[in-house]
Amino acid sequence: MTITESLAILRAAQDLPNPFQIQLACSFTPLHLKTLLAAHQQQRMPQRRAIVVEGVFGDLIGSIASASNPAAIAVVIEWQDLDPRLRYREGAAWGRTLAADLIDTARMMLGRIEQAIGQLPPHVAVAVSLPTLPLVPIFHPSTWQAGQLELLLERELSDFASRVAGRKLLNVVNRRWLDEHSPASNRFDLKSDLLIGFPYTIAHADQLADVLALNLAPRQPLKGVITDLDNTFWNGLVGEIGTDAVRWDPASRYYLHGLYQKLLAALADEGILVGIASKNDPNVVGEALKRNDLLCAQEKIFPVEVHWSPKSESVGRILKAWNIGADAVAFIDDTPLELAEVAAAHPGITCLQFPVGDYQGVWNLLRNLRDLCGKPRLSEEDALRLESIRRGAEFQQQAESGAAQSDDFLKTIDAVLTFDFETAATSARTLELINKTNQFNLNGVRLTEADWQQKLVQPGAFVLGVKYEDKFGALGTIAAVQGRQNVNRLEISAWVMSCRAFSRRIEHQTLKRLFDRFGVDRIEFKFAPTAKNGPTQEFFGTMLGHLPDNDFGIDRAQFESVCPALYHRVEEISGVTLNG
Amino acid sequence: MDEIRTRLIKCFETVFPDLPAEQIPNASQSSVANWDSIAAITLINVIEEEFQITMDLEMAGELDSFPKILEYLKTTAVNA
């Protein structure tokens, strides 16, 4: 991105609402880094205006400490922040005297930076960049040798980074990523540093701004990967050469498929759903998937769609089983025709070709998949997801085999709902649900941590998290409600429920619980129709007599007149049974 | 020559979006409130990108008006 392009992006966005403010903390003149960071952030959140403010001039720690409640803060550390003598503009002498206390000074300064970060409000997202520029040539070894002092400095940095990375909502820029995208020899601009105090070339500032924005507001990871089998999951056509002849083993030249399997297994462990769409004989494939040398075991994969119908139909069924949109999924196949057929039928899906026999191409594919599916942190729900989907499919099959949602069926599934009014507000899962859920979503409003915290400090504010399990298994936290009590009225500004939890009357039990717990006769909802929240509209439509198109209220009597029989056992987070 | 002028006006519009078009040809650091040291450096970079040239940062202080920059581009940079 050029400076001209970045200014054009910011100019076009200047009238957008709901500003997202980033504090840029650095000890050099922010200049183009400020402009480029704002522009890259703007590209990542086109609905809001990105604003970057600079802190105390020349004072990294002061800038962090004085941050006036931004949504996010970018902490850009350079060598001069470890010791001012490591700056070209600094007048202090180089030589042995500097070396004597360099490490102690660096350790102390990093400790102060860590302390300043530790005092930031917990809802502020933080991205930390470690020094990106070459060191000043102060050490006695030649520049191609890593001297002991330099290595000790690196160790201090590494220790610091590993400590601060434990903070919730803090991401550390991966220096190896930056090495790939911004060549070290083209980062430092001595003239600009000495004349105006800005040490970066524009090209380097652009890459650093890009990766800072990526770390401040990471994109949503894909939720699932659908893979072909022949010449993708394994080498060979299983229907022609047989179940024992397809290969992926490390001892063969087909290990590229083994590496692919290993990545799929790792993604499955992280809660990414993995499914199979293959044109094959299901009996043959069934035998092959029983092989005990698979590097991605069959139990990590669901569903398995194997038949001779178009793959777009398989993908459609898998998306239905997963209950997620095509834009949250990657489809991997070795055949361009199959990729094109799926892409045409499922707009938004990410189609990637498996490059058979191409070592560099497979390496790129593995890294691309990792980037598409990468998550800063894993949650309890990530471990539960596959089992939950599998159980959910069984639930749907049983529900659909008889009268869907029949009382007879719902009576028998031993459903338990746990309402958590205590810890849901601080759970990352609650905000994740609000920002990921589309179909049962009161208004589609997405919230940053800062927005979330502001809602929670309002008088009478509450957050409800809802967990569900039945005899088919636990779904984990599948719904969240945020609102506030205003005398004898309840105002709900966010209510979301995972589509995995549909058809269980959880929304009815939740509404009942809200009326009962708060002892109110009316609940007001901050509603807005979206392109995807049809199920929410239909749910409230049964009470209102029409589909809502704006804010509305529901009286207890209105709700009770349409509420079906509820068979859940209801608990609070303490485990106390309220009714059953 | 008119093309250089037109492209320089575009640079000024990029860096000073609030500056009325009719004021650009006579704009100077003393007449444009937003033309501070940061804007001066940004203007140099935008001109570099537009004309695919490298300008000397040390000239930022001297190139303090539209006519001076235009003259610089005509005589020194673009034709060099």
Side-chain angles (χ1 to χ4, degrees):
Chain A
M1 184 185 294
T2 64
I3 301 298
T4 307
E5 288 165 346
S6 65
L7 291 170
I9 289 167
L10 297 177
R11 186 178 179 185
Q14 63 186 358
D15 294 328
L16 287 173
N18 199 9
F20 182 84
Q21 183 172 309
I22 301 169
Q23 173 104 14
L24 174 57
C26 60
S27 60
F28 51 83
T29 308
L31 203 62
H32 305 315
L33 184 62
K34 178 182 172 185
T35 310
L36 289 160
L37 176 58
H40 279 286
Q41 192 67 43
Q42 189 62 62
Q43 287 191 314
R44 288 194 167 74
M45 46 175 59
Q47 308 303 323
R48 303 179 64 171
R49 185 183 178 199
I51 298 174
V52 176
V53 295
E54 52 199 271
V56 183
F57 183 78
D59 183 358
L60 174 79
I61 296 168
S63 295
I64 302 170
S66 66
S68 55
N69 205 23
I73 181 164
V75 179
V76 181
I77 302 171
E78 281 301 342
W79 295 112
Q80 64 206 44
D81 300 307
L82 278 61
D83 189 320
R85 294 170 295 182
L86 296 179
R87 183 179 197 181
Y88 282 95
R89 292 185 100 192
E90 175 64 33
W94 295 347
R96 286 190 167 203
T97 52
L98 189 155
D101 64 352
L102 180 64
I103 301 302
D104 288 342
T105 305
R107 187 180 300 129
M108 180 194 70
M109 294 301 285
L110 287 168
R112 290 183 60 202
I113 296 171
E114 182 181 354
Q115 190 178 25
I117 290 173
Q119 289 170 353
L120 287 168
H123 64 270
V124 175
V126 184
V128 175
S129 162
L130 302 179
T132 64
L133 295 175
L135 269 162
V136 291
I138 55 168
F139 302 119
H140 59 80
S142 303
T143 55
W144 61 81
Q145 289 172 349
Q148 190 184 25
L149 266 179
E150 188 174 342
L151 292 169
L152 288 170
L153 262 184
E154 287 288 351
R155 188 181 71 179
E156 293 300 328
L157 272 174
S158 176
D159 289 349
F160 159 81
S162 59
R163 287 195 305 271
V164 297
R167 179 193 187 271
K168 189 183 161 195
L169 286 182
L170 185 146
N171 295 316
V172 178
V173 168
N174 189 333
R175 294 167 98 188
R176 284 185 291 284
W177 186 96
L178 206 51
D179 290 343
E180 286 183 34
H181 292 80
S182 178
S185 59
N186 191 33
R187 294 180 179 181
F188 182 52
D189 187 333
L190 178 61
K191 188 171 189 177
S192 173
D193 188 23
L194 294 181
L195 293 182
I196 57 175
F198 184 68
Y200 298 148
T201 61
I202 291 175
H204 180 54
D206 178 40
Q207 292 297 330
L208 183 56
D210 187 15
V211 75
L212 284 168
L214 271 171
N215 278 277
L216 285 172
R219 57 190 165 207
Q220 290 294 331
L222 293 184
K223 296 176 181 173
V225 177
I226 301 173
T227 182
D228 174 37
L229 289 176
D230 292 341
N231 289 328
T232 300
F233 194 75
W234 51 52
N235 181 267
L237 306 177
V238 69
E240 293 186 6
I241 63 177
T243 56
D244 293 332
V246 287
R247 298 188 66 177
W248 55 83
D249 49 296
S252 74
R253 62 193 175 93
Y254 307 120
Y255 186 47
L256 291 178
H257 303 276
L259 292 174
Y260 175 61
Q261 284 191 27
K262 282 167 58 164
L263 181 64
L264 290 182
L267 294 176
D269 286 346
E270 295 158 15
I272 305 295
L273 302 164
V274 178
I276 285 175
S278 170
K279 284 181 181 172
N280 252 313
D281 180 333
N283 294 324
V284 175
V285 166
E287 285 304 309
L289 289 177
K290 287 178 186 165
R291 277 178 54 173
N292 58 14
D293 59 340
L294 278 176
L295 298 171
C296 179
Q298 189 178 5
E299 57 265 25
K300 294 183 187 293
I301 303 169
F302 180 81
V304 177
E305 285 280 339
V306 181
H307 42 68
W308 298 103
S309 300
K311 288 194 179 173
S312 59
E313 292 180 14
S314 298
V315 170
R317 276 191 288 273
I318 293 170
L319 292 178
K320 188 177 176 199
W322 288 348
N323 223 333
I324 58 180
D327 56 356
V329 168
F331 172 61
I332 321 290
D333 200 296
D334 63 306
T335 311
L337 184 66
E338 301 287 9
L339 292 167
E341 194 258 335
V342 168
H346 300 283
I349 196 167
T350 300
C351 287
L352 302 171
Q353 185 175 9
F354 189 93
V356 182
D358 177 355
Y359 287 78
Q360 188 69 31
V362 169
W363 186 62
N364 289 337
L365 173 68
L366 299 182
R367 285 162 49 92
N368 193 11
L369 270 177
R370 167 52 70 198
D371 282 349
L372 290 168
C373 300
K375 303 174 183 181
R377 285 159 192 84
L378 298 179
S379 68
E380 281 180 27
E381 272 69 22
D382 290 325
L384 274 175
R385 190 163 294 122
L386 175 60
E387 196 55 24
S388 168
I389 294 281
R390 215 188 278 271
R391 299 298 184 191
E394 288 174 24
F395 177 96
Q396 288 299 339
Q397 276 175 3
Q398 293 215 18
E400 288 166 10
S401 65
Q405 286 210 59
S406 78
D407 284 58
D408 288 345
F409 176 69
L410 292 174
K411 274 180 195 172
T412 63
I413 60 174
D414 303 328
V416 180
L417 272 173
T418 304
F419 292 106
D420 173 8
F421 286 92
E422 301 299 322
T423 59
T426 55
S427 163
R429 171 65 176 163
T430 310
L431 188 55
E432 179 192 52
L433 262 177
I434 287 172
N435 284 331
K436 277 186 172 179
T437 308
N438 291 312
Q439 297 181 67
F440 196 100
N441 189 324
L442 191 60
N443 44 41
V445 172
R446 305 304 197 205
L447 302 170
T448 65
E449 276 281 341
D451 299 331
W452 182 240
Q453 294 298 325
Q454 280 173 2
K455 282 183 175 295
L456 300 187
V457 296
Q458 293 175 336
F462 73 91
V463 178
L464 166 64
V466 185
K467 287 186 178 178
Y468 176 88
E469 69 175 295
D470 57 30
K471 71 178 187 181
F472 298 99
L475 297 189
T477 301
I478 40 73
V481 184
Q482 193 278 321
R484 61 189 287 256
Q485 185 167 21
N486 187 0
V487 195
N488 61 345
R489 282 194 329 182
L490 208 58
E491 299 165 356
I492 305 298
S493 56
W495 184 1
V496 298
M497 184 171 74
S498 167
C499 43
R500 291 186 286 127
F502 285 6
S503 307
R504 293 164 171 84
R505 300 181 184 172
I506 295 171
E507 59 275 38
H508 297 89
Q509 189 69 267
T510 303
L511 196 47
K512 179 176 185 300
R513 184 77 200 111
L514 290 172
F515 275 117
D516 292 347
R517 161 122 186 175
F518 292 96
V520 295
D521 291 323
R522 185 173 175 81
I523 301 179
E524 302 289 338
F525 294 90
K526 293 286 287 182
F527 178 83
T530 72
K532 293 182 175 178
N533 72 354
T536 320
Q537 297 176 39
E538 287 166 19
F539 170 65
F540 286 112
T542 60
M543 288 168 251
L544 295 168
H546 59 85
L547 296 182
D549 57 5
N550 210 327
D551 296 354
F552 61 84
I554 299 280
D555 294 326
R556 183 190 283 268
Q558 272 179 295
F559 165 64
E560 290 177 344
S561 69
V562 298
C563 182
L566 303 174
Y567 303 104
H568 319 95
R569 186 158 56 88
V570 177
E571 296 181 349
E572 286 228 353
I573 193 68
S574 60
V576 175
T577 299
L578 300 170
N579 59 49
Chain B
M1 288 302 168
D2 280 350
E3 187 204 342
I4 295 177
R5 189 172 188 277
T6 304
R7 289 165 69 187
L8 182 58
I9 287 174
K10 199 171 99 181
C11 295
F12 270 72
E13 288 171 343
T14 299
V15 179
F16 305 112
D18 298 329
L19 189 61
E22 66 274 13
Q23 292 182 20
I24 288 178
N26 294 314
S28 69
Q29 203 155 15
S30 58
S31 69
V32 179
N34 293 337
W35 193 334
D36 57 13
S37 58
I38 303 284
I41 301 298
T42 305
L43 182 59
I44 282 186
N45 287 121
V46 168
I47 293 170
E48 286 181 332
E49 289 172 357
E50 172 62 28
F51 291 95
Q52 295 292 299
I53 57 172
T54 302
M55 294 174 70
D56 195 336
L57 278 176
E58 289 173 286
M59 296 209 49
E62 296 171 34
L63 299 175
D64 60 357
S65 71
F66 182 94
K68 284 184 184 174
I69 298 172
L70 182 61
E71 185 62 21
Y72 168 80
L73 290 173
K74 285 177 177 175
T75 59
T76 310
V78 177
N79 292 334

